[in-house]
Amino acid sequence: MMWLMSETKPIQISSFGGKYQFKPENAPENAGTICMKDCPLVDTCVYSTKRLYIDHPDRWAFYVWDALEGIENPTIEDKINLMKSNSPYARCIYKCDNDVVDHQSVLVNFASGATGTHNMVGGSAEPRRNIHIIGTKGEIFGNFEESKFTVLKINPSPDAHNEECDVEVVDLRVTGDMVGAYGGHGGGDERLAADFVSFLRNENPSLACTSIFDSVAGHLSVYLADKSRENGGIPVKIEY
């Protein structure tokens, strides 16, 4: 958001959010504490570690299987045993001592008068990052997982008849296995590292490379969003 709005600065933040879904009182009846050890719902629960990690053993492997790093080529049996242990990834999602919010909304006020919103929902049906940019001459919306975006341009011409805008669909065709091939966050993790190395080598950065000022503004906004959230959503001014 700060990259897109780099011609102005965020000056005020407000945020609401909390733990709404993943808390003990919302656990399914008779749920255990370690999914694959003492839970009778291990084969039916939406958030079963068996379904999430054993049925998909390469998912989030960098985090989930860190305790197995000392084992060369760990087997599926090694992973099952870990999911029956006290590993933090083996625990019931509803009965953890995790204090991270499972949903949060942030409202940003910019010096130019523009506003931006960011919504995070941890319990969504699928991992998806939507974007919707509304300007003075049109708008763009789409999601990064499908890599398909719709561009709407306001058309005041009488020849437009009943259509008030021109519509263009941009399909970047970065889908399916290609998304995984690009790595974490649709390739964003690797691209960030590559941009950093290019900068150190005095090479030309990519279009996505932010200035330090954008990055500072983004970090301040994130920190103060949590400050606002922890205080009932009261607006917090950003001081530079």
Side-chain angles (χ1 to χ4, degrees), residues 1-2 12-17 101 103-109 115-120 218 220-226 228-229 238:
M1 186 187 297
M2 302 309 157
Q12 204 170 28
I13 301 286
S14 181
S15 178
F16 292 92
V101 300
H103 74 289
Q104 186 171 0
S105 297
V106 180
L107 175 62
V108 184
N109 188 27
T115 57
T117 59
H118 184 280
N119 296 293
M120 181 281 295
L220 283 174
S221 297
V222 169
Y223 298 144
L224 295 180
D226 262 357
S228 171
R229 180 185 62 79
I238 300 178

Side-chain angles (χ1 to χ4, degrees), residues 116-222:
T117 59
H118 184 280
N119 296 293
M120 181 281 295
V121 182
S124 59
E126 65 177 349
R128 176 183 291 250
R129 295 174 177 84
N130 297 316
I131 188 169
H132 193 171
I133 305 169
I134 303 175
T136 57
K137 297 181 180 180
E139 55 190 283
I140 302 172
F141 61 86
N143 75 75
F144 294 106
E145 279 66 37
E146 291 182 355
S147 296
K148 184 183 293 185
F149 304 90
T150 300
V151 182
L152 305 178
K153 296 180 181 178
I154 299 173
N155 187 348
S157 171
D159 296 333
H161 303 293
N162 293 327
E163 301 296 333
E164 296 183 356
C165 61
D166 297 325
V167 181
E168 178 187 3
V169 177
V170 179
D171 188 352
L172 301 178
R173 301 186 183 280
V174 183
T175 58
D177 293 337
M178 293 180 67
V179 175
Y182 284 117
H185 298 111
D189 295 351
E190 285 79 1
R191 298 303 194 279
L192 284 170
D195 272 340
F196 179 68
V197 172
S198 295
F199 178 81
L200 295 179
R201 292 175 173 174
N202 292 318
E203 298 172 353
N204 291 328
S206 75
L207 178 65
C209 191
T210 63
S211 74
I212 187 64
F213 303 104
D214 294 338
S215 298
V216 168
H219 281 67
L220 283 174
S221 297
V222 169

